[in-house]
């Protein structure tokens, strides 16, 4: 419970931070002030993940939904090992199994820090799996730059994430709406907590292959497990 409450408090801080940034640049209006007070005040709410309806969160999938093998990746956008996986092994997985219809691939975000949550908000902003995976590729490719911007300065990291969103075709108002949607971000954190508890997720990347959870592994090992699960 304490970890859940702490994560929800972090996410409320996310909404408050971006709202504060907007107010600093353009001047607060009454509506912004009310929203800021609501967001920041909600940090004290003792809300359990199980109490939040996460049914509207879109499951981001690639491949054949009826494939004999389902591979779920749990990853954080700020995890270097996850970036390494997406720079090489994931491309092999996609070519060998996802694009050929042998695997239904599901990507689920893990939130270990606020920057990963902000990145998730950007990736999900357009609302489609196609755009999500395109932005995900951009986030991992540029992770070493945006995640360390300004020596870890939140304002500079936020600006770098906005740049990625704009490069992906999102306009400024759409980006700000996604980044300040506290209700949606709260759902994402609860969704992560629910999934992590069900699948026993403690590190990233972690893979669930046809219901069995595995820690990070080589592509050769993953390929062998997929072939075994497929009965080939």
């Amino acid at each position: 419970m304490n970890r859940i409450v702490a994560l929800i408090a972090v996410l409320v801080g996310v909404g408050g931070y971006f709202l504060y940034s907007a107010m600093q640049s353009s001047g607060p209006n009454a509506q912004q002030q009310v929203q800021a007070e609501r967001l920041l005040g909600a940090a004290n709410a003792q809300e359990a993940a199980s109490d939040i309806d996460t049914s509207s969160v879109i499951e981001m999938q690639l491949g054949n939904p009826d494939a004999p093998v389902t591979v779920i990746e749990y990853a954080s956008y700020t995890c270097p090992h996850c970036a390494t996986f997406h720079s090489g092994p994931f491309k092999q997985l996609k070519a060998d199994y996802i694009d050929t219809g042998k695997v239904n691939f599901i990507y689920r975000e893990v939130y270990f820090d606020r920057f990963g949550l902000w990145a998730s908000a950007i990736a999900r902003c357009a609302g489609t799996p196609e755009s999500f995976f395109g932005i995900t590729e951009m986030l991992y490719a540029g992770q070493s730059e945006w995640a360390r911007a300004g020596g870890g300065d939140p304002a500079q990291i936020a600006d770098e994430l906005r740049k990625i969103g704009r490069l992906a075709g999102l306009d400024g108002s759409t980006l700000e709406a996604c980044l300040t949607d506290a209700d949606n971000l709260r759902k994402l954190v609860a969704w992560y907590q629910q999934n992590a508890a069900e699948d026993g997720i403690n590190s990233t990347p972690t893979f669930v292959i046809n219901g069995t959870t595995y820690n990070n592994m080589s592509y050769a090992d993953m390929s062998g497990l997929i072939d075994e699960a497929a009965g080939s």
Side-chain angles (χ1 to χ4, degrees):
M1 170 67 80
N2 289 339
R3 185 178 180 186
I4 294 170
V5 171
L7 279 168
I8 290 175
V10 167
L11 106 81
V12 171
V14 170
Y17 171 78
F18 279 107
L19 195 63
Y20 176 76
S21 298
M23 290 163 62
Q24 288 292 94
S25 61
S26 60
N29 57 38
Q31 182 178 4
Q32 287 176 321
Q33 291 179 21
V34 169
Q35 187 180 4
E37 290 174 2
R38 178 178 65 82
L39 287 169
L40 297 173
N44 294 320
Q46 302 296 298
E47 190 169 22
S50 59
D51 295 332
I52 299 175
D53 181 8
T54 61
S55 60
S56 63
V57 177
I58 298 174
E59 193 83 271
M60 295 301 178
Q61 304 183 67
L62 286 175
N64 175 15
D66 298 320
V69 179
T70 294
V71 176
I72 304 172
E73 178 193 3
Y74 283 89
S76 167
Y77 287 117
T78 57
C79 160
H81 294 297
C82 301
T84 297
F85 174 74
H86 277 266
S87 70
F90 174 73
K91 298 181 188 302
Q92 291 179 278
L93 176 68
K94 189 173 185 298
D96 294 343
Y97 293 101
I98 299 173
D99 292 346
T100 56
K102 298 175 182 178
V103 157
N104 176 34
F105 178 80
I106 299 173
Y107 182 97
R108 291 178 178 172
E109 302 97 295
V110 172
Y111 306 123
F112 290 142
D113 50 57
R114 56 182 168 170
F115 305 137
L117 181 58
W118 297 356
S120 178
I122 298 292
R124 288 179 169 270
C125 201
T128 66
E130 182 180 11
S131 63
F132 174 84
F133 283 104
I135 295 174
T136 291
E137 183 176 353
M138 295 170 68
L139 287 165
Y140 280 128
Q143 183 194 83
S144 60
E145 285 79 34
W146 68 259
R148 300 173 185 172
D153 176 63
Q156 292 193 44
I157 289 174
D159 284 342
E160 291 301 314
L161 287 171
R162 287 186 178 100
K163 288 178 184 177
I164 291 173
R166 289 194 291 270
L167 284 172
L170 300 169
D171 60 56
S173 60
T174 299
L175 285 169
E176 296 309 311
C178 291
L179 289 167
T180 58
D181 187 346
D183 289 338
N184 184 59
L185 293 172
R186 186 176 291 107
K187 287 179 185 177
L188 287 176
V189 172
W191 174 76
Y192 150 59
Q193 287 287 339
Q194 292 166 10
N195 289 330
E198 180 177 347
D199 289 328
I201 306 304
N202 296 304
S203 62
T204 54
T206 295
F207 303 95
V208 181
I209 301 176
N210 274 9
T212 302
T213 300
Y214 301 92
N215 291 328
N216 193 18
M217 68 188 83
S218 69
Y219 180 69
D221 289 341
M222 177 180 287
S223 178
L225 288 170
I226 292 173
D227 290 341
E228 181 181 351
S232 58

